[in-house]
Amino acid sequence: MKFLQILRKAATSAENRHRVTSIFANGRSFSNQLHSQPPRRASFGIAFDIDGVLLRGETPIGGSPQALKRLYDDSGSLRIPYVFLTNGGGVPESKRAMELSKLLSVHILPSQIIQGHSPFKQLVKRYENELIIAVGKGEPAVVMSEYGFKNVLTIDEYASYFKHIDPLEKFKNWTDQQAAGYEKISSRETDRKIDPCSEKIQAVFIVSDSVDWSRDIQAGRPWFSILTRSGVFKGKENHPLYPADLVVDTVEEAVDIILEKELDTVA
């Protein structure tokens, strides 16, 4: 009791009141400085795969939404940087970010999405105004257009200009339906300034898995055919009905020519 009386008396003096006030003021100042300081930047980041890690189809797995929320602070600001790294694709990063934000219940930016085709952005300066073909499922032309490429055709649009581009077309039971799709695309594209029949294709980009490889590999680089005289054909000249680009005597010669052409192309 005597201690409390002494403390009360000390606090009533002008000098001591000033000291106590100064202590509390300094305390508030320190507290304000502490809270006003920017949060420390994390010294690491996280790269997440998507399919089979965070999602199975459109269903979150492994507590992934709760796990991602731990990477944000109480105000919703990102505390630990992270990206999604996937070999999938076929849609723009902006669209994928919106889809993932909805499924995982966190705000995801397009810059956090790295897909299999994302490195194509680095080639915009080289092919910005050149005619290019975008191959794959989804929206390959939209993807390339968002990157900044201005002269893009999908493989379906390109194939619609060439009736017999697919050497295996007669063996496919779905070609009639596919041809109908070509006609629709062709009529829709009549106003385009792109004419692949007169303009050379400068590059073909595999944006996502091809739907029809036997057709798609024709784009921009047609077959080089070699006919050998070691089989049914024995003629000295080229075949009169089905002429090849080159006629040789043996299969070994044909392979040598193929390797030489391809190695020169790679070099």
Side-chain angles (χ1 to χ4, degrees), residues 112-131:
Q112 291 177 271
I113 308 296
I114 304 173
Q115 303 186 100
H117 46 71
S118 295
F120 292 164
K121 299 174 187 177
Q122 307 301 318
L123 297 173
V124 172
K125 288 185 178 179
R126 181 174 179 182
Y127 295 106
E128 181 178 4
N129 296 301
E130 305 289 352
L131 176 58

Side-chain angles (χ1 to χ4, degrees), residues 69-130:
K69 287 177 181 177
R70 294 181 62 186
L71 304 180
Y72 296 81
D73 60 23
D74 294 337
S75 66
S77 299
L78 190 62
R79 189 165 57 93
I80 307 296
Y82 68 93
V83 297
F84 297 95
L85 185 62
T86 174
N87 59 356
V91 297
E93 284 78 1
S94 56
K95 184 174 181 178
R96 196 70 184 274
M98 290 177 61
E99 293 173 349
L100 290 176
S101 296
K102 183 178 179 180
L103 294 172
L104 297 170
S105 302
V106 291
H107 179 60
I108 297 167
L109 300 173
S111 59
Q112 291 177 271
I113 308 296
I114 304 173
Q115 303 186 100
H117 46 71
S118 295
F120 292 164
K121 299 174 187 177
Q122 307 301 318
L123 297 173
V124 172
K125 288 185 178 179
R126 181 174 179 182
Y127 295 106
E128 181 178 4
N129 296 301
E130 305 289 352

